[in-house]
Amino acid sequence: MFGVYLHRDGAGSVSHMTYDGLYALQHRGQESAGMATTTGEGVMVVKDMGLVTNVFNEYKLAGLQGHLAIGHTRYSTTGTSTWHNAQPVYRVTARNPARVRPVEFALGHNGNLTNTALLASAAGMLPGTVTSDSDVIGELLVRDLDSAPERDLVDALERVLPKLAGAFSLVVMDNERLVAVRDPHGYRPLCLGKLDEGWVVASETPALDIVGAHFVREVDPGEMLVISGDGTRSVYPWPPSEVDPRLCIFEFVYLARPDSRLYGQELHGARMRMGELLAEQAPVEADLVMGVPDSGMPAAEGYARRSGIRYGHGLVKNRYIGRTFIVPDQAQRAQGVRRKLNPLRSAIAGQRLIVVDDSIVRGTTTRAMVRMLREAGAAEVHLRISSPPYRWPCYYGLDTGTRSELIAANMTVPEIEDFLGADSLAYLSLDGLKRATGAVGAGFCDACLTGVYPTPPLPASVEVQLGRKEPVGTRLV
Ligand code: AMP
């Protein structure tokens, strides 16, 4: 997500800046892209399925004028991957003589609400009328605005935000203001940057770099930052007792770019430290340390440095691959690995390999990759994973499948080793991972690794697995 506010028209093209910002954030969502802009005289939205480069062209960007914009790339968690669910979400209030003109707003959401169904039914929304958690937020805001014409967008946000549960970093705009919000746990990142002539907010710091903004600070968990012609103003819609920072630890492991800074740490360095600690915790004799491109590379470098074993490349990744690649069944997913990776035979033939990756989720790609290395002549394959076993589904914005799909939820480490066909398999400890982040004393959500979920309510079947609730016959999620 990205947002920009310029103090005066003509200080730059907000649509081109948003395009650049979204391009830097493409890895966070590859299903759809969109942006909204305003000149102060109405909010205009362009969104479509596909990558940023597919959705926008010069013609569309030229039509998106103004001093204020937000943008979004989507990766679906709640709600299907359809045009309707592409963001920004747009709403306008009903005509009301008590208002000079209707309030128009657009909203981008990163995260996943855990009380979507409750919110929708409590507000009497008919099934099918709202199609995603982000759509529910838009609907609650427009209803709040419609119920009292003296309210503005910021008033409505102050009233609606405390009702939301789960993960939500938001960028919201109307004709005059850019608003950036982080839920009280701050599950998903959001940062503030300064331009000579304005302000930028973005999910990750590389989106600030690309538009020439300098990093000011992270938006605080539980903070609503309002940016307008009057400057910036912070509002805190939640009581301090509800604010408990829990940044997603998987942002450090996999999700965010290596050149991003979170909790004051550049992630490439944190990932190298993960590899170093992994080398201490799980040493093995071998000839070559290699990373699985791209996610395993920094940790592999760290492993090699600490172990003293030679670092090299053993796999080449097709740089045009994206996650939008359609993989209808499991057999095709395995074939997908061949589309993505190819071995460097001369580097690995006859070698005892230490193969480092950041995580194993379903095990499908890892298994196919191990087979590929063996076919290319590897003498031994020792897998080293720079995070602990991924055992629990995420309800806060990562789509890693149901519990039945997570390999570490269903098999022991020796069983996984066997299934993957590796000579050995070892994971980094949770303590090691937290130390490697370098963010001493900072709060993290590690629910995917520990099953400790900071925000209820969770689906009933998960509560059952956690032993908190009697079985109610729900399908295992
Ligand atoms: P698999 O063996 O199928 O579990 O795939 C493991 C690979 O998936 C690793 O290289 C991870 O970097 C990558 N990965 C981790 N989390 C995700 C995610 N949420 N979406 C897509 N890929 C992921």
Side-chain angles (χ1 to χ4, degrees):
M1 283 181 337
F2 185 84
V4 52
Y5 183 98
L6 297 180
H7 291 308
R8 60 177 181 86
D9 274 343
S13 162
V14 288
S15 60
H16 284 86
M17 291 170 87
T18 304
Y19 179 90
D20 278 344
L22 292 182
Y23 192 54
L25 297 170
Q26 183 73 83
H27 61 289
R28 297 190 71 85
Q30 302 178 11
E31 292 173 14
S32 64
M35 74 170 82
T37 60
T38 182
T39 54
E41 298 295 326
V43 174
M44 171 120 149
V45 179
V46 172
K47 61 178 188 174
D48 211 338
M49 303 304 291
L51 301 173
V52 177
T53 46
N54 303 134
V55 172
F56 296 101
N57 54 31
E58 268 308 322
Y59 175 75
K60 284 185 186 157
L61 293 178
L64 286 159
Q65 301 272 335
H67 66 293
L68 165 54
I70 62 168
H72 188 268
T73 58
R74 179 157 191 261
Y75 147 72
S76 57
T77 44
T78 303
T80 49
S81 181
T82 58
W83 184 88
H84 185 81
N85 285 338
Q87 297 192 28
V89 168
Y90 169 84
R91 286 286 195 286
V92 58
T93 55
R95 292 204 179 279
N96 184 329
R99 278 193 202 280
V100 179
R101 64 175 183 193
V103 179
E104 280 181 275
F105 65 89
L107 168 150
H109 169 208
N110 178 208
N112 189 46
L113 300 190
T114 52
N115 63 342
T116 309
L118 284 175
L119 289 169
S121 65
M125 296 177 201
L126 294 173
T129 54
V130 283
T131 55
S132 73
D133 53 347
S134 318
D135 212 21
V136 168
I137 305 174
E139 186 60 24
L140 290 175
L141 288 170
V142 82
R143 286 180 182 210
D144 190 80
L145 287 163
D146 277 334
S147 69
E150 72 282 2
R151 287 185 199 144
D152 67 13
L153 179 65
V154 172
D155 302 326
L157 279 162
E158 272 191 87
R159 293 162 56 83
V160 167
L161 290 173
K163 297 180 186 160
L164 312 180
F168 47 100
S169 280
L170 306 174
V171 287
V172 198
M173 63 176 278
D174 60 11
N175 272 303
E176 290 133 41
R177 279 166 289 224
L178 170 61
V179 185
V181 180
R182 251 178 116 188
D183 69 66
H185 292 296
Y187 288 108
R188 297 289 149 220
L190 194 60
C191 63
L192 173 69
K194 180 91 186 76
L195 294 161
D196 287 344
E197 300 251 22
W199 299 93
V200 174
V201 290
S203 294
E204 293 183 37
T205 55
L208 305 184
D209 300 333
I210 200 170
V211 296
H214 72 259
F215 174 81
V216 176
R217 64 178 176 90
E218 294 186 7
V219 176
D220 285 331
E223 178 181 10
M224 171 163 84
L225 190 67
V226 183
I227 303 171
S228 68
D230 303 329
T232 67
R233 173 168 73 95
S234 293
V235 181
Y236 299 93
W238 294 270
S241 59
E242 283 184 29
V243 176
D244 173 25
R246 299 262 166 208
L247 176 67
C248 165
I249 203 155
F250 226 65
E251 294 277 356
F252 266 81
V253 172
Y254 166 80
L255 251 185
R257 287 170 54 141
D259 51 341
S260 276
R261 295 183 74 85
L262 288 172
Y263 277 159
Q265 305 293 319
E266 189 173 75
L267 298 199
H268 182 80
R271 289 171 185 168
M272 290 230 308
R273 291 193 291 276
M274 291 171 204
E276 287 173 358
L277 290 174
L278 189 55
E280 284 174 20
Q281 293 182 356
V284 59
E285 255 189 53
D287 306 307
L288 179 76
V289 181
M290 53 174 273
V292 180
D294 297 316
S295 53
M297 304 306 253
E301 227 179 301
Y303 194 106
R305 191 159 74 181
R306 185 57 53 92
S307 65
I309 300 171
R310 183 167 58 89
Y311 174 75
H313 294 267
L315 288 164
V316 171
K317 183 181 169 192
N318 183 325
R319 67 183 61 185
Y320 300 100
I321 203 92
R323 281 191 25 226
T324 40
F325 208 90
I326 299 159
V327 280
D329 60 37
Q330 198 68 357
Q332 289 212 28
R333 257 197 211 124
Q335 170 61 17
V337 175
R338 287 186 196 280
R339 294 190 182 112
K340 181 175 168 183
L341 299 171
N342 203 33
L344 284 168
R345 288 180 174 76
S346 61
I348 60 184
Q351 301 288 296
R352 295 170 301 167
L353 305 178
I354 296 174
V355 180
V356 182
D357 205 353
D358 68 287
S359 58
I360 301 176
V361 181
R362 293 177 173 89
T364 322
T365 52
T366 310
R367 188 180 198 214
M369 187 262 305
V370 171
R371 187 172 307 151
M372 183 187 279
L373 293 172
R374 289 212 187 275
E375 283 169 9
E380 290 173 18
V381 178
H382 300 278
L383 283 175
R384 293 294 178 270
I385 306 300
S386 62
S387 62
Y390 195 110
R391 292 206 167 99
W392 296 91
C394 176
Y395 298 102
Y396 309 128
L398 258 195
D399 181 22
T400 41
T402 61
R403 194 138 207 255
S404 58
E405 291 171 273
L406 301 175
I407 193 166
N410 299 287
M411 289 186 196
T412 62
V413 173
E415 285 169 348
I416 301 172
E417 184 180 281
D418 202 41
F419 174 81
L420 299 175
D423 292 285
S424 74
L425 165 68
Y427 292 87
L428 180 62
S429 69
L430 182 60
D431 175 62
L433 171 58
K434 289 196 171 164
R435 266 192 293 144
T437 63
V440 186
F444 283 108
C445 173
D446 52 22
C448 55
L449 313 173
T450 60
V452 178
Y453 292 93
T455 316
L458 297 168
S461 50
V462 179
E463 297 281 355
V464 172
Q465 284 165 19
L466 290 168
R468 293 196 202 127
K469 204 173 186 172
E470 291 304 307
V472 287
T474 332
R475 192 172 64 87
L476 200 68
V477 295

